[in-house]
Amino acid sequence: MRILIVGAGAVGGYFGSRLAQAGRDVTFLVRPARAKQLRRDGLRIISPHGDAVLSPKLVSAEEIDMPYDLVFVSVKAYALEAAMNDFSAAVGPQTMILPVLNGMRHIELLTKRFGEHAVIGGVCLIAAEIDAWGRIVQLADVQQLVYGERNGESTPRLKTLDATLQGAGFDARLSTDIMQEMWEKWIQLATLGAITCLMRGTIGEIVAAPGGAELSIKMLDESMAVATGCGHKPSEDFLSRNATAITRPGSSLTSSMYRDLHKGGSVEADHILGDFIERGSAHGVSKPLLKAAFVNLRVYQDRLPKH
């Protein structure tokens, strides 16, 4: 399969690099500044699973001259509109678009632009960031990519994709219930993002404060209620695991939104929390803590310089 990775950020750069290392046909669609850096220094990974430096195949939006088999999209939600314009020439009748963005709004935007058939479901579980030197730094051991048809069918094209992604140095899994898995990740992200950003701390710091653990559980309860109201009730096992994770004493766990906020960058408040809250409101779900976190983040976001 010819694979186009949209961007070479923390997520796309990591999974794309591992695929390239494993001999897959991978090209990165990058903007000029990142292209210059990668040509000068290589695509560098710092990881508990092994460091790497690659000389990746790069392409600009203007240079795309034929469709790819797979377009892997992992940009921040607020950058999706521009990214769709950049990779549109890479999408043909047989192209699969695999987005691993947070929330659900991106599915609606992608299907509206490229059609229902082109877009499959995806979830990635990885904690990584770009450091001051442009390196991709993996912050924890987890590195999982999950994908599937949004209607749950096991199709020949997904089996081909699965065969391509297996054995590439990360955990890859074909799902027959990808929409439920996407919703469960959204619960996890909304809860963790809301509590860490609202309290401005790690889970360990929040739990150490009087009432912190109870507040975390109440945030999870609100997120669960939103998903349940929207027809995607999480499993008991999922809830148990997440309740443990957000109340663990001494935990250094944070969310990517908290890390972006901590660095003074843009946050995905509208996409992770705003859209989540709106969908809950449509089903009459009460979510005062989630709303407080969202308003807090919007105040922060609106203070940032406009580009």
Side-chain angles (χ1 to χ4, degrees):
M1 298 184 74
R2 295 180 69 244
I3 301 170
L4 182 69
I5 307 290
V6 180
V11 175
Y14 184 83
F15 285 108
S17 293
R18 293 308 192 197
L19 285 164
Q21 277 187 298
R24 311 300 192 266
D25 184 355
V26 175
T27 302
F28 293 87
L29 171 61
V30 290
R31 296 288 175 85
R34 182 66 165 152
K36 181 179 179 181
Q37 183 183 54
L38 294 175
R39 289 193 176 103
R40 183 187 67 229
D41 302 327
L43 183 50
R44 296 168 293 169
I45 294 175
I46 308 298
S47 165
H49 299 282
D51 298 348
V53 181
L54 289 83
S55 299
K57 285 200 294 184
L58 306 177
V59 69
S60 66
E62 300 77 23
E63 293 170 335
I64 298 174
D65 56 3
M66 63 185 296
Y68 284 75
D69 299 309
L70 178 71
V71 175
F72 182 87
V73 186
S74 63
V75 297
K76 293 290 189 180
Y78 46 75
L80 180 59
E81 293 277 5
M84 288 194 296
N85 293 333
D86 288 346
F87 72 73
S88 60
V91 181
Q94 304 305 317
T95 301
M96 283 183 284
I97 301 173
L98 171 55
V100 291
L101 284 75
N102 300 321
M104 288 289 167
R105 188 180 291 174
H106 65 282
I107 295 290
E108 294 155 8
L109 293 172
L110 287 164
T111 55
K112 183 178 180 181
R113 177 75 177 265
F114 300 106
E116 292 286 342
H117 180 69
V119 183
I120 64 176
V123 170
C124 78
L125 300 173
I126 187 170
E129 62 184 10
I130 302 284
D131 71 7
W133 297 275
R135 303 177 302 179
I136 297 168
V137 181
Q138 190 178 5
L139 305 173
D141 285 345
V142 63
Q143 48 173 14
Q144 187 176 50
L145 191 59
V146 189
Y147 38 87
E149 296 284 8
R150 289 183 293 119
N151 62 7
E153 292 181 5
S154 183
T155 59
R157 69 174 185 168
L158 260 294
K159 291 177 181 175
T160 300
L161 174 62
D162 186 47
T164 301
L165 298 181
Q166 292 295 330
F170 53 82
D171 299 324
R173 178 168 59 83
L174 176 60
S175 171
T176 55
D177 198 5
I178 191 65
M179 297 305 288
Q180 179 66 22
E181 297 201 45
M182 289 172 67
W183 267 94
E184 290 191 351
K185 187 186 178 188
W186 201 4
I187 295 169
Q188 183 181 20
L189 286 172
T191 303
L192 185 61
I195 196 67
T196 57
C197 290
L198 186 59
M199 297 297 108
R200 296 294 197 272
T202 66
I203 288 298
E205 290 169 334
I206 294 165
V207 170
E214 291 85 351
L215 198 65
S216 294
I217 292 297
K218 286 180 180 177
M219 195 76 83
L220 177 60
D221 288 342
E222 287 189 8
S223 298
M224 178 191 69
V226 170
T228 301
C230 294
H232 291 276
K233 183 179 181 179
S235 70
E236 290 300 322
D237 178 61
F238 171 86
L239 289 173
S240 176
R241 282 186 283 109
N242 279 271
T244 299
I246 62 173
T247 56
R248 182 173 288 122
S251 173
S252 60
L253 182 64
T254 61
S255 64
S256 59
M257 196 154 56
Y258 171 81
R259 293 191 293 273
D260 290 338
L261 180 150
H262 199 61
K263 288 189 264 187
S266 293
V267 293
E268 295 181 296
D270 290 338
H271 312 88
I272 294 177
L273 289 177
D275 190 33
F276 195 67
I277 289 166
E278 282 182 24
R279 291 173 194 250
S281 295
H283 294 278
V285 178
S286 175
K287 53 243 164 295
L289 290 175
L290 288 170
K291 191 170 285 187
F294 173 63
V295 172
N296 182 297
L297 285 166
R298 277 304 303 266
V299 170
Y300 162 82
Q301 182 72 36
D302 292 345
R303 285 177 177 170
L304 295 179
K306 302 294 188 287
H307 296 292

